[in-house]
Amino acid sequence: MAHATTAPARRNLLEILTVLAGIALLVALSVEIIGGDHTHFSRPYLLVQLVVCIIFLCDFFVRWAASEQRGRFFGRHLFYLLISIPWLNIIHWSGGHLTHDWGMIVGLLPLLRAFLAMVIIVRWLVEGTRMRRLLAAYVFTVVVFTYISALVFYDYEQPVNDKLDGFGNALWWAWMNVTTVGAAIFPVTAVGKVTCVLLPSLGMMFFPIFTTYVLQEYTHKKEADQ
């Protein structure tokens, strides 16, 4: 019985640790992009990514070992394993060379693992109906994805886009695009253009969910008053 109660507590602890590691990785990425030279990755950033990936891998293998159907668990969660591997560090140790642009894409993979864990935590913390949990998770997704898009846009566009003056402008550009209003800063790189398409698409997906939530809350309140 003690072992049965310890296992869920251990998994919850690992889940919280995973979220904290993800936040640390996001902070490190922000410092690297905003204060970096947009050419090379610093050693502190590579170290943070390595530590975070080790935490993600520990979380995966602990859950795999505790699973009753390990083969099925491994197959269903293989994607989590692949994005938890510190590919950027492995390439760096092996002497391989990646351009900063490709390195940034590879470096974002562990952040995707952290983001998935954060969404689960957000839905777990929010009390209420399933629709309210979905809305909270989606609002969190919009906020985080918009911020990461601003980071990526700034990293790729800053060296070549004359209209981009500082990270503040990149953040403003991202929020204007996710609200489908648009901004007077036009992307010139391929990554910037793709991000410019994805942000309004994400914003347009938000409005039906928000409208459904408002209608559902209004209906429940009206039924309660009657």
Side-chain angles (χ1 to χ4, degrees), residues 153-168:
F153 184 79
Y154 180 71
D155 187 60
Y156 281 82
E157 294 282 332
Q158 196 273 337
V160 296
N161 197 328
D162 296 333
K163 293 186 178 181
L164 188 60
D165 184 20
F167 178 69

Side-chain angles (χ1 to χ4, degrees), residues 18-218:
T18 300
V19 172
L20 293 177
I23 294 173
L25 182 60
L26 182 58
V27 171
L29 180 66
S30 302
V31 173
E32 182 71 14
I33 290 178
I34 298 174
D37 58 5
H38 304 280
T39 305
H40 303 93
F41 295 104
S42 64
R43 288 186 177 181
Y45 172 71
L46 290 174
L47 178 60
V48 171
Q49 176 142 133
L50 175 62
V51 173
V52 169
C53 286
I54 290 174
I55 294 174
F56 291 165
L57 290 173
C58 289
D59 174 70
F60 176 86
F61 285 110
V62 167
R63 293 177 183 276
W64 173 72
S67 176
E68 296 180 355
Q69 298 179 336
R70 295 182 181 179
R72 184 178 180 184
F73 177 91
F74 190 89
R76 293 182 62 182
H77 296 82
L78 179 60
F79 176 72
Y80 288 88
L81 174 62
L82 293 177
I83 62 177
S84 299
I85 297 174
W87 298 110
L88 200 60
N89 299 88
I90 293 173
I91 294 172
H92 180 72
W93 293 332
S94 63
H97 176 71
L98 281 178
T99 63
H100 184 78
D101 293 347
W102 277 106
M104 183 58 62
I105 294 175
V106 173
L108 286 174
L109 292 178
L111 194 59
L112 176 60
R113 170 67 183 90
F115 171 73
L116 294 173
M118 292 178 191
V119 170
I120 294 173
I121 289 293
V122 168
R123 295 188 65 176
W124 175 65
L125 289 176
V126 175
E127 298 180 355
T129 63
R130 181 175 179 272
M131 190 63 203
R132 183 174 295 180
R133 292 173 182 268
L134 176 63
L135 178 68
Y138 198 80
V139 169
F140 178 80
T141 301
V142 170
V143 172
V144 174
F145 185 78
T146 302
Y147 177 74
I148 294 176
S149 297
L151 287 174
V152 173
F153 184 79
Y154 180 71
D155 187 60
Y156 281 82
E157 294 282 332
Q158 196 273 337
V160 296
N161 197 328
D162 296 333
K163 293 186 178 181
L164 188 60
D165 184 20
F167 178 69
N169 279 356
L171 192 59
W172 172 79
W173 171 89
W175 279 107
M176 288 299 98
N177 276 278
V178 82
T179 57
T180 69
V181 175
I185 302 174
F186 301 101
V188 296
T189 64
V191 173
K193 292 176 181 178
V194 170
T195 308
C196 191
V197 173
L198 293 178
L199 278 172
S201 302
L202 182 67
M204 286 187 292
M205 288 170 59
F206 171 75
F207 293 111
I209 295 177
F210 178 75
T211 303
T212 303
Y213 169 75
V214 172
L215 289 175
Q216 187 181 73
E217 289 295 312
Y218 174 76

